[in-house]
Amino acid sequence: QFLNILTENSLLIAHNADYDFRFLIKYFYYIDEIVRDTSFMSAKALFYNFDLKKNINIKIKCSLRMINMPLSKFPKCFFTKEEQKKYKKEIIPYDLYNSTNIKNKYVDIDYALKYIQNESDKNEFVNNINSWGLNINGRFNIIEYSKIYCEMDCVLLMKGYNIFRQWMLEITELDINEIISLASLADKFLINKGCYDDIYQLAGVPQVFIMKCVVGGRTMCRGNETITCG
């Protein structure tokens, strides 16, 4: 149903898109995935819309590769304190969603609270049920709750992503919609600034040979402490 509402070539963005992509992949053909070190980066595919009798070009982008933080950190990063009241990562008791409860749909609120440990999260969870109009004599529809939860996740990602995109357009003059990862963004920015001028670019056998000299990775300080320089 979701794919059928797409009438033109579309860019679909999801945080940790590998998970979302697996639900959609069976509806696609001519799939071209980009995976690095087992991590899903992006994919291109065709979807045939039978209602319109036309092919739709689909591009799926993993926003986590560009904005390397969980959605729960988006509000503090991208929004003012006032906006954070409206755009925030909501609470959902994931373990509540087993086959039995999903089949029953309606669950006692007190029973659901057993799946939430933090007291402040419990209060926010109950407030959500009430403010979303789901409280029916102490019970609520867990399917409807998860639907609203997911919709608000999408809004949070969309707002944060668009703000970050605007920042990068202003700072780097590059559109992150056309770039797969933060590393690629930095690389393109450095190229545009001339940082690689007069430097040879290698490929093939020479590159593989020279890469044998490269040793590196994350350097950990004593006590696994993070130290910011500059």
Side-chain angles (χ1 to χ4, degrees):
Q1 289 176 338
F2 164 66
L3 291 172
N4 279 331
I5 69 172
L6 304 178
T7 59
E8 302 294 339
N9 297 340
S10 301
L11 170 64
L12 308 180
I13 301 172
H15 221 50
N16 192 20
D18 188 23
Y19 176 82
D20 304 80
F21 180 53
R22 298 308 154 192
F23 288 96
L24 302 175
I25 192 171
K26 63 183 178 181
Y27 302 107
F28 296 149
Y29 61 100
Y30 292 133
I31 301 167
D32 181 19
E33 288 184 63
I34 297 178
V35 178
R36 294 179 185 169
D37 299 326
T38 72
S39 296
F40 176 88
M41 307 294 289
S42 69
K44 294 180 180 179
L46 282 179
F47 168 71
Y48 186 76
N49 190 314
F50 285 93
D51 295 334
L52 301 177
K53 294 181 173 56
K54 64 181 288 190
N55 283 317
I56 306 291
N57 286 294
I58 303 291
K59 181 178 179 182
I60 296 178
K61 178 182 176 67
C62 181
S63 53
L64 185 61
R65 307 301 164 207
M66 181 62 67
I67 310 174
N68 191 16
M69 67 174 72
L71 279 179
S72 58
K73 293 188 177 181
F74 269 43
K76 188 175 181 179
C77 180
F78 297 118
F79 306 120
T80 64
K81 288 186 176 180
E82 190 62 30
E83 290 174 330
Q84 289 175 30
K85 298 176 183 178
K86 182 178 181 181
Y87 303 115
K88 62 182 185 296
K89 177 68 175 175
E90 295 296 351
I91 306 298
I92 190 169
Y94 293 105
D95 292 337
L96 175 68
Y97 288 79
N98 55 46
S99 57
T100 301
N101 291 334
I102 289 174
K103 183 178 180 180
N104 293 333
K105 284 189 180 181
Y106 289 89
V107 170
D108 289 339
I109 296 174
D110 290 339
Y111 173 76
L113 289 174
K114 296 178 181 179
Y115 291 88
I116 303 175
Q117 304 302 319
N118 188 285
E119 287 299 324
S120 62
D121 287 348
K122 288 183 179 182
N123 293 332
E124 186 169 349
F125 176 67
V126 174
N127 288 336
N128 285 345
I129 293 174
N130 293 328
S131 62
W132 297 349
L134 301 178
N135 191 340
I136 304 175
N137 299 322
R139 294 167 62 83
F140 75 107
N141 186 327
I142 65 172
I143 304 302
E144 191 63 25
Y145 184 96
S146 66
K147 177 184 175 182
I148 298 173
Y149 167 86
C150 289
E151 288 175 350
M152 297 185 76
D153 253 16
C154 291
V155 171
L156 177 60
L157 173 59
M158 180 186 69
K159 295 288 185 180
Y161 181 91
N162 285 337
I163 290 172
F164 184 78
R165 182 188 179 204
Q166 187 59 40
W167 287 352
M168 293 303 102
L169 283 170
E170 294 173 359
I171 296 170
T172 68
E173 298 181 349
L174 295 169
D175 187 352
I176 65 173
N177 279 353
E178 307 299 326
I179 301 171
I180 294 176
S181 67
L182 188 61
S184 297
L185 175 68
D187 185 53
K188 292 180 183 295
F189 178 68
L190 292 174
I191 291 173
N192 291 346
K193 290 297 182 181
C195 291
Y196 299 142
D197 290 355
D198 300 323
I199 295 176
Y200 289 102
Q201 183 176 7
L202 298 175
V205 175
Q207 181 192 30
V208 173
F209 176 75
I210 289 179
M211 283 298 293
K212 293 181 179 180
C213 303
V214 177
V215 179
R218 179 176 295 176
T219 302
M220 304 304 292
C221 299
R222 180 182 177 185
N224 288 340
E225 294 180 357
T226 302
I227 298 176
T228 303
C229 301

